[in-house]
Amino acid sequence: MSLFSRLAGLSAFTMLFAFATPASANLVVNGGFENPDVASGTWKSFDSSDVAGWDGSRIEIWDNYNGETAHEGSQFAELNSDPYTGSAFSIYQDIETVIGETYDVSFAYQARQSERESFEFALIPDGSVASTWLLDDHTTSGWSIFSGSFIASAINTRLMFTSVTPETGTIGNFLDDVKVIVSVPEPGTLALLGLGLMGMGLSRRR
Ligand SMILES: [Ca+2]
Ligand SMILES: [Ca+2]
């Protein structure tokens, strides 16, 4: 293989990779709460500065503790809710977004102890709440999946989970596998692959 054709092959690979990555890359850092590592069968409470990507109050990370298994990987977060204190806890992360771009958002959630447990999920572009969903339909017996789409209206969008009824004796909700990806419909994906192949043809002609 000549040096020329090696370079042409490398160029084609680079272009395909560059086009393929944005469609599947998760914009949420540490969306599965696998960092920091907690020993299997235990849990630990962290300040937000110790949890990659996330901010919030007293973020608990569990690793297959107390018979609860993760939806993704081996760890998940507990969104705390202290009974009877009136204290609501939040876990949140700001992601960079492009105004007008459509994003798909999803996460796994599970009530810790009772079906009364609930929390709110909010999308907050540039500091003002745009959309909220109350997730009070779930059970303790397994993970449920929330999924939806949004069009960004700011260059950053906060994803925020907040416990909402601490005064009624709830103790927490589990979260895992939080994802935000650029929404790309199937025909768009094929078009991008076509562009990559066009790039390969061009580099061979040079
Ligand atoms: Ca996980
Ligand atoms: Ca672990």
Side-chain angles (χ1 to χ4, degrees), residues 11 35 48 121 134 183 186 192:
S11 171
N35 178 14
S48 57
F121 172 57
L134 178 65
S183 184
E186 286 303 314
L192 287 176

Side-chain angles (χ1 to χ4, degrees), residues 62-183:
W62 294 30
D63 186 327
N64 297 330
Y65 171 71
N66 202 27
E68 305 287 355
T69 54
H71 179 266
E72 174 274 341
S74 65
Q75 301 189 166
F76 52 96
E78 188 201 6
L79 177 62
N80 265 305
S81 180
D82 277 1
Y84 311 116
T85 65
S87 301
F89 291 88
S90 290
I91 295 176
Y92 60 92
Q93 180 168 151
D94 294 332
I95 60 169
E96 288 185 13
T97 46
V98 176
I99 295 171
E101 187 93 72
T102 303
Y103 297 87
D104 296 331
V105 55
S106 63
F107 56 84
Y109 65 97
Q110 183 182 340
R112 180 171 163 188
Q113 190 179 64
S114 80
E115 293 184 9
R116 292 195 313 276
E117 306 205 38
S118 58
F119 64 99
E120 188 177 84
F121 172 57
L123 287 172
I124 307 173
D126 206 19
S128 73
V129 177
S131 309
T132 61
W133 291 265
L134 178 65
L135 290 116
D136 61 355
D137 57 326
H138 54 300
T139 65
T140 58
S141 58
W143 292 95
S144 301
I145 305 296
F146 172 93
S147 66
S149 297
F150 68 94
I151 299 173
S153 60
I155 58 170
N156 68 75
T157 303
R158 174 168 296 183
L159 313 176
M160 188 159 78
F161 304 90
T162 304
S163 55
V164 293
T165 53
E167 70 281 2
T168 58
T170 70
I171 58 174
N173 294 269
F174 301 128
L175 298 170
D176 199 0
D177 204 19
V178 185
K179 284 181 185 162
V180 174
I181 62 171
V182 176
S183 184

Side-chain angles (χ1 to χ4, degrees), residues 35-58:
N35 178 14
D37 185 25
V38 171
S40 182
T42 68
W43 66 275
K44 199 173 172 187
S45 181
F46 294 94
D47 292 330
S48 57
S49 57
D50 294 325
V51 182
W54 296 99
D55 278 302
S57 26
R58 215 178 67 195

